[in-house]
Amino acid sequence: METLTNGVLTIEVSSHGAELCSIRKGRTEYLWQADPAFWKRHSPVLFPIVGSLWNGKYRVGDKEYEMSQHGFARDMDFTLVSKTDNEIWYRLESCGETLARYPYTFVLEIGYRLDGNRVEVLWKVSNPSDSDMYFQIGAHPAFYYPDFDPQTEDRGYFLLERQASALSERQEDSPSVGNNIQTGDIFLYDLISGKGCADPDTKYEIPARIPLDTHTFDRDALIFEDSQVGKVTLLTKDGTPWLALSFDAPLVGLWSPVGKNAPFVCIEPWYGRCDRAGFEGDFSQKDRIQHLGPHRSFNSVYTIEIY
């Protein structure tokens, strides 16, 4: 476990999965501490898939492969590449073990940087080969609810804000009431369907300010697609900002374990998602797949802000 601190925040990162395992401000821990009674992880990085495959299998050309939910990177040991006072980087490279499950050579680099009250999470995926590469990558950080009381139903609120690109496409037909929020602003989400896969053709409406309680996730994760959301703020029960994630990812999932009255909630920026129910096509045709040409790289960052 490696530790970074800047006088405001202290984080801990494990080489196993290059997983962020702690975010502390003073004596307050914000990141879920992986009690297996609820969920045994803190903030796994999802690669080379996000979510589940239909029947746990996928096809590349005429060959079929199996892979468990969210891919293998979260369960592999990364190499520590560099560490400074406020930044740390890890690397995972393809090998015989990965090629047996995922027939693409890759270099996955994961970094964490402290900047005041913010943690920047950085990803770089490189394709060192002479062939095209297809992949997905996503985040799965879990955060304690503020003032959690298992004897009550209320958990606080989520506040959704639109990405700048999505906001600019909307008609200015309602007055602004804050950063990227409009009166009566409605977002669309879809749900998990059979075998852990999605039903993206069925959409549900939800307001920008989402009350959180013991029943919010009775139907599993809420999935927001099409770059609708660029920031999610977790608010206390009285509406005070507690923490926020900002990102450019085209999807974000919101989740807490179904029926467990868990003390945490996940905010998950994704470049990809689970298969749509019934999908049996080539991996390159999977919904929300990312493509890298030969010797190209993909870079992304999302930010966790602690208030």
Side-chain angles (χ1 to χ4, degrees):
M1 194 77 68
E2 299 288 340
T3 301
L4 297 180
T5 186
N6 66 353
V8 180
L9 300 179
T10 298
I11 66 172
E12 294 181 355
V13 186
S14 172
S15 60
H16 188 70
E19 185 175 7
L20 183 63
C21 295
S22 176
I23 304 173
R24 297 191 304 277
K25 183 180 180 183
R27 296 184 178 182
T28 302
E29 176 64 68
Y30 288 80
L31 202 63
W32 169 242
Q33 289 303 288
D35 180 350
F38 295 97
W39 190 56
K40 67 179 182 178
R41 302 179 190 271
H42 307 269
S43 180
V45 177
L46 317 179
F47 177 89
I49 60 170
V50 173
S52 298
L53 300 167
W54 184 249
N55 291 323
K57 300 177 182 180
Y58 70 101
R59 180 169 54 81
V60 176
D62 58 0
K63 189 169 182 180
E64 189 174 77
Y65 298 84
E66 295 185 0
M67 195 182 302
S68 59
Q69 184 185 46
H70 296 322
F72 50 71
R74 62 182 182 167
D75 294 317
M76 299 192 73
D77 291 329
F78 284 61
T79 300
L80 176 62
V81 175
S82 64
K83 180 183 178 183
T84 65
D85 289 343
N86 69 333
E87 187 169 338
I88 191 166
W89 280 90
Y90 293 86
R91 177 185 295 132
L92 177 69
E93 299 187 31
S94 53
C95 60
E97 180 183 353
T98 68
L99 290 169
R101 291 184 282 171
Y102 175 69
Y104 299 99
T105 56
F106 67 87
V107 178
L108 171 60
E109 295 170 279
I110 298 174
Y112 300 94
R113 179 189 299 140
L114 292 179
D115 180 13
N117 67 328
R118 295 179 294 276
V119 182
E120 295 179 352
V121 184
L122 306 106
W123 298 329
K124 182 177 181 180
V125 182
S126 299
N127 175 9
S129 77
D130 295 327
S131 303
D132 289 340
M133 171 187 170
Y134 296 91
F135 71 97
Q136 296 176 330
I137 190 168
H140 203 320
F143 302 98
Y144 283 104
Y145 284 118
D147 303 320
F148 175 75
D149 181 353
Q151 303 305 315
T152 64
E153 290 197 354
D154 293 339
R155 298 287 176 263
Y157 302 87
F158 273 143
L159 183 63
L160 309 184
E161 299 184 38
R162 294 192 180 274
Q163 289 192 20
S165 59
L167 188 68
S168 65
E169 294 174 0
R170 292 171 58 84
Q171 295 181 352
E172 300 296 335
D173 57 0
S174 58
S176 175
V177 295
N179 291 337
N180 295 351
I181 308 169
Q182 293 179 317
T183 303
D185 212 1
I186 297 297
F187 292 77
L188 302 178
Y189 69 93
D190 44 79
L191 293 167
I192 301 296
S193 180
K195 301 181 181 179
C197 293
D199 178 17
D201 297 325
T202 302
K203 300 294 184 183
Y204 304 87
E205 294 186 347
I206 202 165
R209 185 182 174 102
I210 304 172
L212 298 173
D213 59 36
T214 54
H215 299 290
T216 303
F217 302 102
D218 279 354
R219 299 178 69 185
D220 214 317
L222 312 183
I223 303 172
F224 297 84
E225 306 203 32
D226 302 318
S227 299
Q228 292 180 80
V229 183
K231 184 176 182 179
V232 179
T233 303
L234 177 59
L235 308 177
T236 64
K237 295 175 185 178
D238 66 4
T240 302
W242 182 248
L243 60 85
L245 266 69
S246 301
F247 46 86
D248 293 326
L251 300 94
V252 63
L254 307 177
W255 176 80
S256 190
V258 177
K260 289 190 174 183
N261 196 16
F264 68 89
V265 67
C266 295
I267 307 171
E268 310 175 34
W270 297 336
Y271 290 85
R273 64 151 164 75
C274 56
D275 280 351
R276 69 171 57 226
F279 177 74
E280 294 181 333
D282 191 85
F283 190 66
S284 64
Q285 301 303 311
K286 176 179 168 68
D287 285 356
R288 308 300 183 180
I289 199 71
Q290 304 296 313
H291 168 250
L292 270 181
H295 308 287
R296 302 296 298 270
S297 294
F298 162 96
N299 293 273
S300 181
V301 59
Y302 74 90
T303 301
I304 304 168
E305 185 174 6
I306 305 298
Y307 292 105

